[in-house]
Amino acid sequence: MFMSPRKAADGAFLPEDFVVPTLVAGPRFQIRPITVHDVVKDYGAVIGSLDRLAGRFGPEWGWPDREFTFEQALIDVAWLQKQGQLRRSFSYVVITPDGERQLGRIHVAPSDDPDADAVVVFWVRADEENSALEKELEEFVREWVTTAWPFETVRFPGRD
């Protein structure tokens, strides 16, 4: 789905020597790579935000489906984890500092636009929509992807 001028022959879109961020901790949230161990909280965050996510991603993305099942969630999360291992795209959970509640997700992927190095998509659960947390996360993500990642130009679909 995404292409990038930085994309290597093996499908990775970042230099092999780039150290991918694995944990970012702040006072209101933590960010870490998604794993299959997150599926229960992730499924709850998605199901509780179906209308918002469907409105945000719509039919173009085909996600989330109205009949989104736990099994589909497990497959999605496992796929996102594997894509990160292969360095093709990177997905993160946004969780409370104590790790008890998932607040949203962040996805960093190659861009299909030749004028951008990456596409970054993030969302927060419906009950955090338009909250101070969502605004803080957006400010953080915009700075994080331009300072901690090797990108010159980043697109933020749905936010630019």
Side-chain angles (χ1 to χ4, degrees), residues 17 38-39 41 45 63 68 84 108 118 121 123 128-130 137 143 145 150 153:
D17 60 349
D38 295 310
V39 71
K41 291 176 187 162
W63 184 88
F68 191 62
V108 180
V121 176
W123 56 268
E128 294 290 347
E129 182 176 14
N130 298 318
L137 181 65
E143 182 176 334
V145 297
T153 306

Side-chain angles (χ1 to χ4, degrees), residues 1-158:
M1 174 155 82
F2 298 108
M3 299 296 290
S4 171
R6 296 175 183 258
K7 195 167 189 173
D10 64 359
F13 88 106
L14 294 171
E16 190 61 39
D17 60 349
F18 175 71
V19 179
V20 177
T22 56
L23 175 66
V24 179
R28 293 180 48 133
F29 55 83
Q30 289 186 6
I31 299 167
R32 62 168 174 68
I34 197 166
T35 73
V36 294
H37 301 288
D38 295 310
V39 71
V40 171
K41 291 176 187 162
D42 188 71
Y43 182 69
V46 170
I47 289 298
S49 305
L50 270 180
D51 289 337
R52 180 167 197 243
L53 294 173
R56 176 104 192 267
F57 295 103
E60 179 182 329
W61 292 68
W63 184 88
D65 185 290
R66 287 274 175 217
E67 284 98 42
F68 191 62
T69 66
F70 186 79
E71 182 179 52
Q72 289 170 318
L74 179 58
I75 292 166
D76 282 357
V77 169
W79 178 255
L80 295 173
Q81 181 179 354
K82 186 64 174 177
Q83 288 293 93
Q85 291 169 347
L86 295 172
R87 298 173 66 88
R88 292 183 180 156
S89 65
F90 303 90
S91 296
Y92 293 82
V93 290
V94 180
I95 56 175
T96 55
D98 62 7
E100 291 300 313
R101 184 168 185 251
Q102 182 171 325
L103 301 169
R105 267 203 233 155
I106 302 168
H107 303 278
V108 180
S111 176
D112 57 353
D113 178 348
D115 294 329
D117 300 319
V119 170
V120 176
V121 176
F122 61 94
W123 56 268
V124 295
R125 52 190 307 135
D127 58 357
E128 294 290 347
E129 182 176 14
N130 298 318
S131 69
L133 173 77
E134 184 175 28
K135 290 176 178 76
E136 183 180 329
L137 181 65
E138 181 166 0
E139 288 174 13
F140 168 80
V141 168
R142 286 180 180 276
E143 182 176 334
W144 181 59
V145 297
T146 57
T147 59
W149 293 79
F151 306 133
E152 292 178 25
T153 306
V154 179
R155 288 181 40 240
F156 295 89

